[in-house]
Amino acid sequence: MARQSKRMKSALEQVDRLKEYSIVEAVGILQSVKTTKFDETVEVAMNLGVDPRHADQMVRGVVSLPHGTGKTMRVAVFAKGPKAEEAEAAGADRVGADDLAEEFANGNIDFDRIIATPDMMAVVGKLGRVLGPKGLMPNPKLGTVTMDVKKAVSDAKAGQVQYRVEKAGIVHAGVGKLSFDAAKIEENVQAFVDAIIKAKPAGAKGNYLKRVAITSSMGPGLKISVSSLS
């Protein structure tokens, strides 16, 4: 069993691991016990009453957080002609076609979001084995296969978050930085939770939002009262 650092021991002494906190209380605790020099990411995890092995219980989508994630998103776009120019004007970090596909095929993928126009999917589709495992494959359901590349790039740069439930029914995402004002973190958390609730699949039965927890990169995990969110 890994030994806990003095910093983590000190942080844990200030929290009740069994208590369910309100989001306001939890954010306050995470900010008060922070001792690291870098700006930690705040992450929310939810345990949902779904079995994603069944297609009608999959939870997947995107949400634009009101205050962004605090992370600089690197965006690549597969497009040609006017759409390529549109993507560049919107702030895409890299725009290309076959040349970009070759770079990716060789493992040179230093991006957080990949967008493609529909006509480029014949090229992008061949990269499934490379992009799929990294969660970067463009998908029309996530708005990353689109003719509106300007909006897609702008949304990504503004801190739009993609989410997908995992095998155990867990869905999680970074919702900001610990340096954010507490109110901004709370509003981002609520926006993420609201998106998950709205995305409740038709096949979900019984208790959908079972448990919620919040943590920071080096902070303790805190249980959040579901009733205070939903």
Side-chain angles (χ1 to χ4, degrees):
M1 185 175 182
R3 295 178 62 185
Q4 292 179 337
S5 66
K6 290 183 178 179
R7 179 197 56 73
M8 181 56 78
K9 284 183 178 179
S10 176
L12 291 176
E13 287 173 356
Q14 299 180 56
V15 305
D16 183 343
R17 302 300 297 276
L18 300 179
K19 178 180 177 179
E20 290 189 342
Y21 294 91
S22 70
I23 188 61
V24 174
E25 293 174 317
V27 171
I29 290 172
L30 291 178
Q31 291 184 323
S32 67
V33 301
K34 179 183 182 300
T35 58
T36 56
K37 294 182 179 180
F38 70 94
D39 196 3
E40 298 179 38
T41 294
V42 178
E43 183 165 300
V44 170
M46 286 175 269
N47 184 204
L48 307 179
V50 298
D51 184 349
R53 292 176 297 178
H54 301 288
D56 65 348
Q57 293 189 47
M58 172 54 68
V59 179
R60 185 178 189 183
V62 295
V63 56
S64 293
L65 302 179
H67 305 292
T69 62
K71 177 181 179 180
T72 299
M73 295 286 288
R74 286 183 52 77
V75 181
V77 179
F78 282 91
K80 291 181 178 180
K83 288 299 174 181
E85 296 174 2
E86 187 179 312
E88 290 177 346
D93 298 281
R94 178 79 167 85
V95 181
D98 295 300
D99 56 329
L100 185 56
E102 185 176 348
E103 288 181 22
F104 284 2
N106 292 328
N108 301 319
I109 310 172
D110 185 24
F111 299 97
D112 304 295
R113 186 73 52 85
I114 296 175
I115 297 162
T117 53
D119 58 299
M120 291 302 302
M121 286 309 292
V123 173
V124 180
K126 298 175 183 178
L127 301 170
R129 291 184 179 180
V130 179
L131 301 180
K134 296 178 179 293
L136 292 172
M137 192 67 182
N139 186 318
K141 293 182 179 179
L142 300 178
T144 47
V145 177
T146 176
M147 288 299 289
D148 193 352
V149 293
K150 178 180 179 180
K151 182 178 186 303
V153 172
S154 296
D155 285 346
K157 288 288 186 177
Q160 184 188 63
V161 171
Q162 294 184 348
Y163 58 83
R164 179 172 181 168
V165 67
E166 299 173 356
K167 290 182 180 179
I170 303 295
V171 62
H172 60 89
V175 293
K177 295 292 186 179
L178 211 49
S179 63
F180 283 15
D181 288 341
K184 291 184 177 180
I185 297 176
E186 294 157 18
E187 289 171 12
N188 275 359
V189 170
Q190 190 64 62
F192 180 54
V193 173
D194 287 347
I196 299 301
I197 292 175
K198 291 177 182 176
K200 180 178 180 179
K205 306 297 181 184
N207 188 10
Y208 175 58
L209 190 57
K210 299 170 72 175
R211 287 182 291 276
V212 181
I214 189 171
T215 188
S216 59
S217 302
M218 302 298 288
L222 303 173
K223 296 178 181 178
I224 300 298
S225 168
V226 173
S227 61
S228 71
L229 293 168
S230 59

